[in-house]
Amino acid sequence: MAPIVLNGLFDASANLPADGWKPFHTGIDCYPIYETADGGPAAMLLRYAPGATAPAHRHQGYEHIFVLSGSQTDERGRHEAGSFMVHGEGTDHHVHSEDGCVVLAIWERRVCFLP
């Protein structure tokens, strides 16, 4: 795989081609950076509309989240732009963004959505 370089991520919505964004969950779009077919490593930008909520999910491996703009909230609190979180295997939470946000998400393994 060739190296991937994304510039200007703190203004990601303005600097990425609009046709690269895809629906992910209700109110959340994703911009895939790389992903594997077997549910293994993946990275993408997630763009939450104001009020959007990601369903409760469990981490099957490490998840790294870097908030680039706006803020998101989970059971551990509100995370503003510049926040970096690491969730370990077996942890779970649900996420919402009151005002909207863009985050960089990097997964060791994809998450499992909970009922």
Side-chain angles (χ1 to χ4, degrees):
M1 179 165 103
I4 298 169
V5 178
L6 298 173
N7 294 308
L9 285 181
F10 288 105
D11 194 14
S13 294
N15 291 318
L16 297 171
D19 63 353
W21 291 95
K22 304 177 191 179
F24 186 68
H25 287 287
T26 303
I28 305 170
D29 294 327
C30 70
Y31 190 97
I33 299 168
Y34 67 85
E35 52 191 326
T36 54
D38 65 354
M44 61 183 61
L45 297 173
L46 299 176
R47 181 174 61 190
Y48 288 66
T53 298
H57 57 276
R58 179 160 295 129
H59 301 110
Q60 303 299 305
Y62 282 102
E63 174 190 69
H64 300 89
I65 299 291
F66 186 39
V67 181
L68 301 171
S69 66
S71 67
Q72 65 174 216
T73 302
D74 67 5
E75 293 81 356
R76 292 153 192 86
R78 183 178 171 106
H79 313 290
E80 304 284 340
S83 298
F84 179 72
M85 290 135 325
V86 178
H87 301 104
E89 182 176 355
T91 61
D92 55 75
H93 65 153
H94 75 279
V95 179
H96 68 277
S97 181
E98 186 175 314
D99 304 317
C101 66
V102 175
V103 304
L104 170 62
I106 302 170
W107 295 284
E108 177 183 20
R109 295 209 47 83
R110 292 298 191 99
V111 301
C112 174
F113 291 101
L114 301 173

